[in-house]
Amino acid sequence: MRMSSREVSSSEIKTTQPALTPQAFLLAKTKWRWPEVAFWLVAFSLIWLMPNRHLLLNEIAILGLFALSIDLILGFAGIISLGHAAFFGLGAYAAGLMAKHGIGEPVVGLLVAGGIAGIAGFFSSFLILRGSDLTRLMITLGVALIFHEIANRMAWLTGGADGLLGIIIPPILGQFEFDFRGATAYTYSLVVLFLLFLLARRIIHSPFGLSLKALKDNRLRAGTIGIASARRIVAIYTLAAAYAGIAGGLLTQTTAFVSLEVLDFARSADALLVLVIGGSGYLYGGPIGAIFFKIMKDGLSALTPAYWLFWMGFALVVLVLVGRDRITGFADRLFAPVVALFGRKAR
Amino acid sequence: MTTRRSIIRAGLLGSAILTGAVSYAPMAMAQEVVKIGLILPMTGPFASTGRQIEAAAKLYMAQNGATVAGKKIELIVKDDTGTPDVTRRLAQELLVNEKVSVLGGFGLTPLAMSTVPLATQAKVPMVVMAAATSMITEASPFVTRTSFTLPQAASVMADWASKNGVKKVVTLVSDYAPGHDAEKWFADTFTAAGGKVEASIRAPLQNPDFAAFLQRVKEAQPDALYVFVPSGVGATVMKQFVERGLDKSGIKLIGTGDVTDDDIINGYGDAAIGAITAHHYSAAHPSAKNKAFVEAFKKASNMRPNFMGVAGYDGMHLIYEALKKTGGTTDGTKLMDAMKGTAWESPRGPVSIDPETREIVLNMYVRKVEKVDGELYNVEFSTFEGVKDPAKKKK
């Protein structure tokens, strides 16, 4: 489906804008559109607009970043993973252990969390170079289960099933103390998400990012035109693992607690679900899916604490059946007057 | 231009959702209401804990009215799915947005431990109604408990076993803090009384299959197998215990009452008959108060109350009593002080809150699984009165 729509759009370009060179076309793609700007402006303005939902917003930002990291490998390199929580959890424990043993400065903690997860990602990326999607699913799942069991067994280090206790997180850069209402936490997570998003956006529009897309579409063909596929997969997998590690680090630092759940299979699955909701391959799928997912979860579980899973499942089935294209299409129609006001049509 | 279009759509959609979410913030609260936040695992593997406690808390409110000392009590139940970071977030939101005066619930030790720092920081009493690791009440002066601690049950079990002809025991526990507590306090008490622990087996908490462990037990041929697993997993142990023929080789099955949870024991089948456990509550407890409680509970929720249910019931009672003592003041420190030393007659017998440790003091019963009127029950046959948490007595 995606292939065909792409073909249509490229033919559109040829007929309507014959003067556009490939360079200009690619450059045009990197330009910021106003809805993107609006998205981030709204996200940042919520720091002031919604002071009593900061904790939920913080979770959304973290889940959004985690889903973004999966989007990097799924949406751009076509690698499907069921075990991304391994890197999330590794980052979470790295940040937690550092804070517990005295090096609590959050920014340093995040860098180390990302670094360690990245290293683990680098080494495990060699496992997913060969094989089909199904093999990759199994391998990534297996890696995550191994990490989970290691964390469970090494109770002297990780606290095992009881969780890592006694984490104290000092102020960010020695300036901003984590407050009870979660304002600092949300601001911090959002800034990290935004910076990493900018980096991801830069990367996917670079020649490297374009070569990844070629890989995703047809690996054999990409190979014949001289793209070293293995190296690129290793690189993007490492990067995605580092992103996941940073997301995990954020969770630890903003909740001052780590337990085995950070490595749970459910966490990987949730993030994939978020991408299904938000759509993969255009970077906003993670953050938007996370907003949907968390608000739905929070709203439903507040209504019926015991049976919300049913409604959640029901909503997801409907969502997939109706298709997200139609939902975003609905949004298009809904906002058509606004778009017209700005003097630019949405398409 | 698919990408561009989808980015625009996405942006629109995202902003729409976010702005929509602004109006989603909860409303401000009225003055004369005391809010109690119950955070429980209502879904996932530990859902039965949450449902028992919720049903019991609601039953207590239905029986005793929703007004105490002139204040209206409002109960807010939240599902944490058994995930500690969610528990913590929900607690934080309840404290900040709903301004709850008391936090209650907490199904498992990690769930409680993730929230303890918040209770300390906000100076809000936290009534633990399920999690049973001894250390929780030591983590903050704002924590009290109405369930029980594993050392209480484990030491009583060991005490009874050593006095009743059990000399050699193999212990089998789930590998997490309550399991370690259950193992340590059983072994300590049992060896001090002259018994011998042949082997201590720890089984993983997640996806437990006990077949291999039980084979080892069979080879060791002890007088008894002492088991601690979280409520719900007990069924697997019992079934495999019988499947492997351990019951026929003369090995007794003893344990803490979590293994023969009232809520589910009926589903165990006859495999469970004869298992001896020590615990603080059985639905078959022979008292008028308990009969009325079981009756009302079954009527209201279609479940047989278990030890979680009774702890939720007592938890609400403790909160009510504390509010009565403070005359409706919701100051956390005053509520905590009021809770200390409170004693009452619970469906499980007399209980009280130790003023020094904020830990519950209760009767422990040794029970045997028997068939009563076609249903399986834990029938109590020996009582240890006023058992304090031995883990704290030592200090």
Side-chain angles (χ1 to χ4, degrees), chain B residues 382-393:
Chain B
S382 177
T383 308
F384 289 69
E385 273 171 25
V387 178
K388 282 191 178 187
D389 183 11
K392 282 159 197 138
K393 233 188 317 188

Side-chain angles (χ1 to χ4, degrees), chain B residues 314-348:
Chain B
D314 283 347
M316 287 304 284
H317 182 79
L318 180 62
I319 297 169
Y320 268 52
E321 285 304 305
L323 279 168
K324 275 180 205 160
K325 277 192 202 167
T326 62
T329 314
T330 53
D331 178 77
T333 321
K334 281 185 187 150
L335 277 178
M336 244 6 257
D337 284 341
M339 284 180 188
K340 288 176 194 165
T342 306
W344 70 98
E345 183 71 25
S346 148
R348 52 187 154 166

Side-chain angles (χ1 to χ4, degrees), chain A residues 305-323:
Chain A
Y307 304 106
W308 62 272
L309 273 178
F310 169 79
W311 292 109
M312 187 82 185
F314 184 77
L316 287 174
V317 169
V318 168
L319 199 68
V320 173
L321 281 182
V322 173

Side-chain angles (χ1 to χ4, degrees), chain B residues 180-327:
Chain B
H180 302 164
D181 262 10
E183 180 189 278
K184 176 178 183 291
W185 288 97
F186 180 85
D188 284 5
T189 320
F190 193 62
T191 31
K196 190 165 176 256
V197 177
E198 286 279 291
S200 301
I201 304 170
R202 289 180 179 182
L205 184 61
Q206 313 260 345
N207 307 322
D209 173 34
F210 298 98
F213 302 117
L214 289 174
Q215 193 56 42
R216 275 171 61 191
V217 175
K218 200 176 176 186
E219 279 153 19
Q221 275 297 325
D223 297 328
L225 168 67
Y226 166 81
V227 180
F228 168 82
V229 288
S231 153
V233 188
T236 328
V237 180
M238 296 264 182
K239 239 173 87 193
Q240 295 185 339
F241 186 79
V242 174
E243 273 169 10
R244 303 247 137 203
L246 271 78
D247 54 333
K248 288 185 194 69
S249 56
I251 301 172
K252 269 190 200 154
L253 186 68
I254 61 174
T256 61
D258 310 71
V259 189
T260 56
D261 183 347
D262 263 307
D263 191 16
I264 41 182
I265 192 164
N266 243 333
Y268 286 15
D270 291 351
I273 292 179
I276 295 168
T277 55
H279 224 210
H280 58 99
Y281 178 69
S282 158
H285 180 67
S287 75
K289 180 139 193 169
N290 182 50
K291 277 206 181 90
F293 170 68
V294 174
E295 196 95 331
F297 193 94
K298 275 184 178 165
K299 212 169 171 185
S301 64
N302 236 338
M303 289 183 286
R304 191 200 284 181
N306 68 358
F307 61 99
M308 301 289 187
V310 81
Y313 193 79
D314 283 347
M316 287 304 284
H317 182 79
L318 180 62
I319 297 169
Y320 268 52
E321 285 304 305
L323 279 168
K324 275 180 205 160
K325 277 192 202 167
T326 62

